[in-house]
Amino acid sequence: MSTSSHMETENGSTNGVTNFFDLQRMPHIVEALDRNQKIQPDILHVIGNTPLVKLTRIPKDEGILCDIYAKCEFLNPGGSVKDRIAYRMVLDAEQRGVLIPGKSVIIEPTSGNTGIGLALAAAVKGYRCIIVLPEKMSDEKVNTLKALGAEIVRTPTEAASSDPDSNIMVARRMAKEIPNAVVLDQYNNPCNPLAHYDGTAEEILWSLDDEVDMVVIGAGTCGTISGVAHKIKERCPKCIVVGVDPYGSILAQPEELNKSDVQFYEVEGIGYDFLPRSLDRSVIDKWVKTDDHNSLQMSRRLIREEGLLCGGSSGSAMWGAIQAARSLKAGQKCVVLLPDNIRNYMTKFISDQWMEARNFKKVIRNDKVWWWEHLVTDELFQAVVSISNKSTPLEALDKLKETRAPLLTIVNDSGSIVGVFTADNARQRLANLSGSINESLDKFTVKKFYKVDLMLKPTLGQISRLLDITPYVVVVKSEATSQIRKPVGMITSNDLLIYTAAETKHLNGK
Ligand SMILES: Cc1ncc(COP(=O)(O)O)c(C=O)c1O
């Protein structure tokens, strides 16, 4: 029999306290700040007590008058702010007898960092740990989780939180099937805001002697912002609390719970398509909406100009801080929280090619080859073979065999590309993920692939940069009046080399 979230079974209480945000009355088990301890009993004791660092270059360049300080949560041992809540939820559940060492299995739906925090605690304490996370989240997070011994279940990014295929629903279902499973449930667990009320906020106030004019924090489950804000409002009521929420999320606009506002964005860890219980809007004074471009550019600046090796949502928070802090005067103090670490994104926004592929950065110029600025023409690419998304994986395999094509493009009823079928991905699904050839084609569809649109006049230089990070680029042609993108070809390094070599010969022969 599974033990699901203690919140479901105990009506939102931690040791008997019933109001979710009655944080003052909750048990405070976070240890007091001790900077004199020379040796720590285990790595979990190193969680928290992160440094507050004054920013020197970016605020000045942006013409900000106040002081901006970064709360460096990326320096936690698991690499993120979420180590705090993971450890706090585990301690609380152990105290209440819900988690039993050597017996319980921890299952958690997460965008990765809570998973890493839980896997860290599970590794040290000896729990089996299963993490359910959307495909959007980086492979770096997945590899870290695996190295910590966690088992991973991936779910489709596009599944809404209420969809049976979402990470939240899959985790719930698994908790019913796996004996002794416990979902600590960061969305509904008061230990989430409590960890920040007791820990993060106390540390900020200690560092600045209770003199804080503004705090700027990205919102995901909203545990960080709600917990910090509750403590700050008690001790420093004049402080303005600013929430940062990406376009595509509804956290900042609950009045018009408009699902059409929900869109894909690249920044990980912030934004949701529902309002978590750990969000208390009454303590948030202002919201700033952010986009991928500004956020990721700002993360790169935090790394390059301030030496802070942080992740994408740190850039969102910093960009939000720059907007909000324009209202502050010289001598005032603004704290921006940097939630996670560069390690999670080494193949994502840290890669120039990855940034260029998404138009977050201009493609570099390269004068060493004559063809760099030339436009892609249909002599460059090979034709592609398409199959309907209603086909079966067996039919797709037969088509691959019959045509000897390197890959198939998968199209919907309008002929618009929805993904790619490759032998490599099919093998991985069957061999590594215990998939079955009798599953739907959707399970075998590669949705993360690189494409260029002929209508946007891609250059050979652009293709060459993409081929640095992918074995093939799909060429599509979009229709001006619809969302339809028809696949028309694919390009590999081989195609590019053969084409440019032939053109070079032709030019030299002239
Ligand atoms: C990278 C990153 N940034 C920000 C957040 C938001 O923190 P919270 O869930 O406390 O709102 C998270 C949460 O998972 C995260 O992983």
Side-chain angles (χ1 to χ4, degrees):
M1 185 41 209
S2 68
T3 312
S4 71
S5 154
H6 71 282
M7 301 320 312
E8 283 166 33
T9 51
E10 292 184 13
N11 198 22
S13 73
T14 286
N15 290 344
V17 180
T18 44
N19 181 351
F20 196 87
F21 281 105
D22 204 353
L23 300 178
Q24 259 176 345
R25 288 184 54 222
M26 284 178 190
H28 302 284
I29 58 174
V30 168
E31 282 170 26
L33 200 70
D34 180 359
R35 295 191 184 265
N36 296 317
Q37 192 147 339
K38 289 193 174 169
I39 294 174
Q40 300 289 346
D42 62 39
I43 194 68
L44 303 176
H45 285 76
V46 182
I47 293 171
N49 292 332
T50 55
L52 191 71
V53 175
K54 189 170 177 182
L55 300 186
T56 53
R57 291 181 60 189
I58 300 176
K60 198 166 164 235
D61 284 356
E62 295 290 332
I64 300 296
L65 300 175
C66 70
D67 295 327
I68 300 193
Y69 301 88
K71 180 68 175 155
C72 297
E73 289 302 302
F74 60 90
L75 293 176
N76 274 301
S80 90
V81 66
K82 306 298 283 204
D83 288 357
R84 294 176 184 265
I85 72 149
Y87 187 36
R88 183 68 175 78
M89 292 194 300
V90 167
L91 287 180
D92 173 73
E94 281 180 341
Q95 277 196 351
R96 292 181 302 108
V98 171
L99 258 188
I100 302 159
K103 186 174 167 201
S104 304
V105 179
I106 298 173
I107 302 186
E108 189 74 11
T110 133
S111 59
N113 282 325
T114 302
I116 293 172
L118 286 172
L120 191 75
V124 173
K125 288 172 168 277
Y127 289 104
R128 183 179 166 206
C129 179
I130 303 172
I131 298 302
V132 190
L133 81 168
E135 273 153 5
K136 165 179 164 179
M137 307 312 163
S138 71
D139 292 342
E140 289 86 332
K141 284 181 185 163
V142 172
N143 288 340
T144 306
L145 284 164
K146 283 186 187 158
L148 285 166
E151 296 159 49
I152 315 291
V153 177
R154 307 290 303 255
T155 56
T157 302
E158 62 277 10
S161 49
S162 52
D163 189 313
D165 286 338
S166 76
N167 66 332
I168 294 177
M169 292 308 197
V170 169
R172 272 193 201 163
R173 224 167 31 242
M174 288 179 73
K176 291 204 179 104
E177 288 158 11
I178 296 175
N180 305 312
V182 176
V183 180
L184 294 169
D185 194 356
Q186 56 174 335
Y187 305 99
N188 290 300
N189 191 325
C191 291
N192 179 358
L194 195 54
H196 301 292
Y197 178 86
D198 281 342
T200 323
E202 281 289 348
E203 294 165 27
I204 292 171
L205 289 163
W206 178 80
S207 294
L208 293 174
D209 299 321
D210 284 18
E211 280 294 320
V212 194
D213 298 287
M214 181 179 275
V215 290
V216 185
I217 300 176
T221 65
C222 300
T224 311
I225 189 162
S226 303
V228 168
H230 266 270
K231 177 62 66 70
I232 295 245
K233 293 280 175 193
E234 279 169 29
R235 293 255 292 276
C236 194
K238 61 163 194 190
C239 179
I240 303 164
V241 176
V242 181
V244 172
D245 182 43
Y247 287 110
S249 155
I250 62 153
L251 293 175
Q253 60 255 41
E255 295 85 17
E256 58 258 14
L257 280 180
N258 183 354
K259 293 284 171 193
S260 66
D261 287 346
V262 176
Q263 297 159 23
F264 178 81
Y265 47 88
E266 291 285 355
V267 173
E268 298 180 28
I270 52 172
Y272 275 106
D273 64 348
F274 70 101
L275 300 181
R277 198 165 171 207
S278 38
L279 164 62
D280 183 358
R281 290 179 53 84
S282 71
V283 285
I284 301 167
D285 301 300
K286 204 177 155 178
W287 289 91
V288 180
K289 295 291 278 188
T290 54
D291 64 25
D292 285 334
H293 186 278
N294 287 322
S295 298
L296 299 175
Q297 289 273 6
M298 186 55 82
S299 295
R300 303 265 303 228
R301 284 185 70 189
L302 283 165
I303 296 166
R304 177 75 183 78
E305 296 172 36
E306 303 280 355
L308 300 169
L309 298 179
C310 60
S313 69
S314 299
S316 307
M318 184 63 194
W319 191 83
I322 295 289
Q323 313 315 307
R326 293 201 192 282
S327 64
L328 298 186
K329 296 196 255 326
Q332 289 193 290
K333 292 170 188 159
C334 168
V335 172
V336 54
L337 186 134
L338 308 186
D340 81 342
N341 186 295
I342 189 174
R343 179 198 65 206
N344 284 338
Y345 310 101
M346 297 308 279
T347 59
K348 296 187 103 180
F349 78 87
I350 298 304
S351 148
D352 283 344
Q353 287 90 335
W354 187 95
M355 291 285 278
E356 288 164 11
R358 290 158 182 78
N359 285 327
F360 298 151
K361 193 174 178 295
K362 275 203 181 121
V363 175
I364 57 150
R365 274 195 69 87
N366 178 358
D367 297 327
K368 289 192 203 111
V369 286
W370 61 264
W371 45 263
W372 196 258
E373 296 296 332
H374 283 232
L375 296 185
V376 171
T377 63
D378 47 10
E379 285 134 59
L380 168 63
F381 51 81
Q382 353 174 358
V384 275
V385 181
S386 290
I387 48 162
S388 152
N389 57 351
K390 309 242 168 65
S391 315
T392 64
L394 263 180
E395 284 165 345
L397 277 178
D398 280 346
K399 192 87 166 184
L400 266 192
K401 212 162 107 190
E402 173 197 320
T403 57
R404 302 214 147 260
L407 56 83
L408 304 174
T409 47
I410 304 173
V411 293
N412 62 19
D413 289 345
S414 330
S416 192
I417 188 160
V418 294
V420 170
F421 182 89
T422 68
D424 191 47
N425 179 63
R427 176 195 54 75
Q428 280 188 40
R429 175 144 195 98
L430 295 172
N432 303 347
L433 299 171
S434 319
S436 151
I437 200 70
N438 298 321
E439 288 170 315
S440 70
L441 183 62
D442 188 58
K443 296 261 191 283
F444 284 80
T445 302
V446 180
K447 290 174 192 146
K448 283 194 221 170
F449 63 94
Y450 286 95
K451 59 179 180 295
V452 289
D453 185 348
L454 274 188
M455 302 308 279
L456 299 177
K457 302 195 182 329
T459 61
L460 300 197
Q462 231 173 306
I463 300 290
S464 182
R465 293 290 283 172
L466 287 176
L467 289 172
D468 287 344
I469 53 171
T470 178
Y472 58 87
V473 177
V474 176
V475 184
V476 300
K477 204 168 186 178
S478 64
E479 283 179 9
T481 51
S482 69
Q483 297 279 46
I484 295 173
R485 286 184 178 76
K486 291 210 160 116
V488 291
M490 63 168 285
I491 306 171
T492 61
S493 289
N494 210 23
D495 301 320
L496 184 64
L497 278 177
I498 291 170
Y499 175 80
T500 52
E503 287 294 300
T504 306
K505 237 185 194 171
H506 180 67
L507 283 176
N508 289 345
K510 266 189 185 169

